[in-house]
Amino acid sequence: MNATTQSTTPSAVDDQDASPAAVPPAPTFDDLGLLPELLRAVKDNGYTHPTPIQTQAIPIIMAGKDVMGGAQTGTGKTAGFTLPLLQRLARHASSSPSPARHPVRALILAPTRELAMQVHESVVTYSKYVPLRSVCIYGGVDIKPQIAELREGREIVVATPGRLLDHVQQKSVSFAAVEVLVLDEADRMLDMGFIPDIKRILAMLPKERQSLLFSATFSNEIKNLADSMLKAPQLIEVARRNAVSETITHRVYPVASDLKRSLLVHLLTHDEEKAKQVLVFVGTKFGASRLAVYLERQGIAADAIHGDKSQQQRTEALEGFKSGRIRVLVATDVAARGLDIDDLPHVINYELPHTAEDYVHRIGRTGRAGKQGDATSLFAPEEKQRLADIEKLIKRQIERVEISGFAELASAPPERAPSNRGHKREHLERAREKARERDRALTLDGNRPAGRELPTPAAHVPRLDPRLPKLDFDPTKPYVNKPGGAEIAPEKPSPTRPQRPVAALLGGLGKK
Ligand code: AMP
């Protein structure tokens, strides 16, 4: 691959920092040469100015060139590839009912059902005035309606790889007329073990086509994949590689792992800002369910979202979160992938992720489109290496904020408490007990001032949400990840494991 670097236009935030005299007039959508039908749809959607990635990507894609796009979620990359793609296909638009007049012309692959649905929603939004047909194909639901739609003829197919291959097997889809391929969130495809499926799909596509690859991060594997699928691509980057939005404030709170949930409740009940809507990341599906139950027990409306939940449960959780019925959504990395929740101000990492790239993905949920965001991490001593890796990747030191009663314990993990220094151990034990007391003193509504009567044991019986699956653990016991590794295997599947069950598991979430 011989990539040509387009330009590294600064982000919208950087633009604001520049002096007015130095800033050329911001381009508008009208300047980009889009068809009137597309401009009308963009205006209906309330957008006035293209985002930096749109300004760069739209003319290049309209010119038929291959693109390797480095853009995190929240940059407007979906419209950045959807609008020019629709422009290129507009010449095929036909109101004929004949399926033969609507072969698949563009294939957009996304790692999760939820992201596929979001991309498809964009396709539907922007193709409002262009008679092109589209369909969204994902697993975990009845395949028959999808077959029926494909048989009617659809120019644009947005799909997750596993279910698309099921359609190939059923011979319900033909790629013979595909002109454009889009691989969205390629790094996540790699993480989720989808690359073999992608390669199988690539082998079935016509060689003469335009290919676009988008990824928030670029590992060597992604570069190899780009080499195999792109021809003389233009490289478009809107943020520094592996960079995070400048509008996000990062903080870590040192704490012993067995006190993390107390600290989380403390933050959620004492910080007015965080009391609103928070996405909390944990490393395992088990941990997500357990933490959501614990928060509910403390009177904090919470739900969990992960790969073991049914589609309906995930849709309900996401909708509850978006509507404000649920304050805290506890999610695993895979389940939260691609969530586009407008104005999400806070992300809390209950556990730091295993890979620094996942930190970038997680906090990409906040600080979108130049808005202020807040990324808080609960940091246990055994996560020191993970924090160092994150700081190296994002090229900045994250502020440590010490909260009395929690931070002291973070310097001495329980298993390593010095046995021959009685006074220090006593002090730590007292602090630990104080923190536990504070935890116990939280009432079911989470707001009772300290010092008031403690709830009776009966009142402490967890109020389980009937929608939660049957638990195979005791939610009244603390959940502690073992140092250096999760209690159970993290959700992220191994690339060497069979792909299809993972694809089925990852099924999707509700529409926005
Ligand atoms: P994406 O990065 O594609 O997930 O988009 C992130 C969010 O930005 C979505 O909610 C879009 O609706 C929104 N968006 C996309 N383009 C624009 C634009 N030109 N102006 C304002 N918002 C936009």
Side-chain angles (χ1 to χ4, degrees):
M1 182 188 64
N2 201 359
T4 318
T5 305
Q6 171 63 12
S7 71
T8 47
T9 304
S11 69
V13 185
D14 296 334
D15 285 347
Q16 286 161 13
D17 291 342
S19 78
V23 182
T28 64
F29 276 105
D30 296 306
D31 299 330
L32 295 174
L34 288 166
L35 291 169
E37 292 83 350
L38 296 173
L39 287 175
R40 210 173 136 202
V42 165
K43 280 185 188 139
D44 283 0
N45 219 21
Y47 301 162
T48 49
H49 290 82
T51 64
I53 190 146
Q54 290 163 0
T55 310
Q56 290 184 59
I58 290 173
I60 296 174
I61 300 173
M62 270 176 11
K65 298 198 173 112
D66 281 8
V67 162
M68 177 150 145
Q72 54 198 118
T73 41
T75 53
K77 74 175 151 66
T78 316
F81 66 75
T82 305
L83 286 166
L85 183 147
L86 290 169
Q87 175 118 351
R88 285 183 56 74
L89 298 189
R91 66 188 193 280
H92 300 298
S94 159
S95 43
S96 159
S98 161
R101 301 294 303 274
H102 303 276
V104 181
R105 308 259 185 204
L107 185 58
I108 305 174
L109 297 176
T112 63
R113 170 175 15 182
E114 189 261 345
L115 183 64
M117 285 167 112
Q118 281 174 192
V119 172
H120 184 242
E121 214 172 286
S122 287
V123 171
V124 171
T125 301
Y126 303 125
S127 61
K128 203 163 145 192
Y129 303 112
V130 187
L132 287 167
R133 299 172 172 184
S134 64
V135 63
C136 192
I137 298 289
Y138 48 79
V141 292
D142 190 1
I143 197 167
K144 288 192 210 87
Q146 295 176 355
I147 294 177
E149 281 198 67
L150 284 167
R151 295 226 162 112
E152 278 174 11
R154 295 286 185 268
E155 282 91 359
I156 302 158
V157 173
V158 185
T160 53
R163 176 52 72 91
L164 186 66
L165 285 170
D166 292 341
H167 282 282
V168 169
Q169 221 162 21
Q170 303 244 0
K171 299 198 178 4
S172 41
V173 65
S174 161
F175 299 136
V178 169
E179 295 173 17
V180 188
L181 167 73
V182 183
L183 200 61
D184 198 9
E185 310 228 342
D187 46 353
R188 188 51 49 160
M189 299 267 199
L190 181 84
D191 287 350
M192 291 169 63
F194 283 142
I195 298 303
D197 281 356
I198 302 284
K199 289 192 171 152
R200 281 180 62 198
I201 295 166
L202 283 177
M204 289 180 251
L205 301 181
K207 297 275 165 288
E208 275 310 307
R209 58 158 205 267
Q210 181 180 19
S211 303
L212 319 172
L213 180 148
F214 291 90
S215 191
T217 55
F218 282 96
S219 61
N220 286 339
E221 285 112 310
I222 296 296
K223 283 185 217 131
N224 290 343
L225 179 70
D227 274 339
S228 69
M229 67 172 266
L230 304 175
K231 283 188 207 132
Q234 299 269 324
L235 181 64
I236 300 174
E237 257 184 313
V238 286
R240 279 193 323 273
R241 198 170 286 179
N242 297 335
V244 294
S245 166
E246 295 296 329
T247 55
I248 298 175
T249 309
H250 304 255
R251 280 192 203 96
V252 293
Y253 289 85
V255 60
S257 15
D258 62 338
L259 291 177
K260 276 193 173 184
R261 57 186 207 168
S262 307
L263 176 57
L264 178 63
V265 171
H266 176 85
L267 292 173
L268 292 172
T269 49
H270 286 74
D271 185 329
E272 231 172 72
E273 269 307 304
K274 284 193 190 62
K276 288 172 194 158
Q277 194 192 32
V278 188
L279 182 61
V280 175
F281 281 96
V282 295
T284 66
K285 295 182 269 196
F286 180 74
S289 283
R290 187 163 196 151
L291 187 60
V293 169
Y294 177 77
L295 293 174
E296 279 277 308
R297 184 187 148 215
Q298 303 297 335
I300 297 168
D303 207 343
I305 193 161
H306 58 66
D308 277 356
K309 296 253 177 176
S310 69
Q311 188 199 349
Q312 202 192 333
Q313 287 171 325
R314 296 167 72 170
T315 304
E316 274 174 16
L318 188 59
E319 279 170 2
F321 188 56
K322 285 182 175 179
S323 71
R325 184 173 53 77
I326 289 163
R327 269 179 56 199
V328 180
L329 187 64
V330 187
T332 56
D333 290 285
V334 169
R337 185 66 189 159
L339 287 183
D340 179 23
I341 302 162
D342 288 339
D343 298 332
L344 183 61
H346 305 290
V347 166
I348 297 184
N349 294 303
Y350 185 76
E351 284 140 5
L352 286 175
H354 286 275
T355 64
E357 281 81 8
D358 276 339
Y359 182 82
V360 177
H361 285 305
R362 286 180 178 189
I363 65 166
R365 317 290 115 208
T366 184
R368 288 183 165 208
K371 291 193 181 118
Q372 288 301 314
D374 170 66
T376 298
S377 302
L378 310 191
F379 164 53
E382 54 270 27
E383 293 172 307
K384 209 167 147 192
Q385 189 54 48
R386 293 188 199 177
L387 182 59
D389 292 345
I390 290 165
E391 290 182 324
K392 196 169 152 207
L393 183 76
I394 66 170
K395 296 191 178 68
R396 72 181 79 172
Q397 217 202 342
I398 302 179
E399 185 195 355
R400 270 74 167 161
V401 180
E402 302 202 340
I403 295 199
S404 164
F406 292 101
E408 297 87 329
L409 302 170
S411 54
E415 61 273 24
R416 278 193 240 129
S419 56
N420 56 350
R421 287 193 213 149
H423 64 284
K424 189 167 180 194
R425 195 178 53 192
E426 253 173 49
H427 167 75
L428 289 172
E429 231 358 276
R430 263 202 311 277
R432 198 179 289 280
E433 187 47 41
K434 232 170 97 187
R436 283 197 199 105
E437 255 170 36
R438 195 174 27 227
D439 182 15
R440 281 197 294 269
L442 286 158
T443 59
L444 292 176
D445 70 9
N447 289 322
R448 187 175 56 82
R452 271 179 53 189
E453 204 181 308
L454 285 173
T456 61
H460 252 305
V461 172
R463 289 183 315 170
L464 298 184
D465 185 327
R467 289 167 304 151
L468 288 168
K470 268 210 157 79
L471 302 173
D472 53 358
F473 59 85
D474 179 357
T476 60
K477 300 255 166 64
Y479 162 60
V480 188
N481 262 354
K482 291 196 177 119
E487 212 169 42
I488 57 167
E491 185 177 15
K492 188 184 287 180
S494 146
T496 52
R497 267 197 262 151
Q499 309 308 315
R500 198 52 47 75
V502 175
L505 260 184
L506 293 172
L509 304 168
K511 274 176 178 273
K512 302 197 264 185

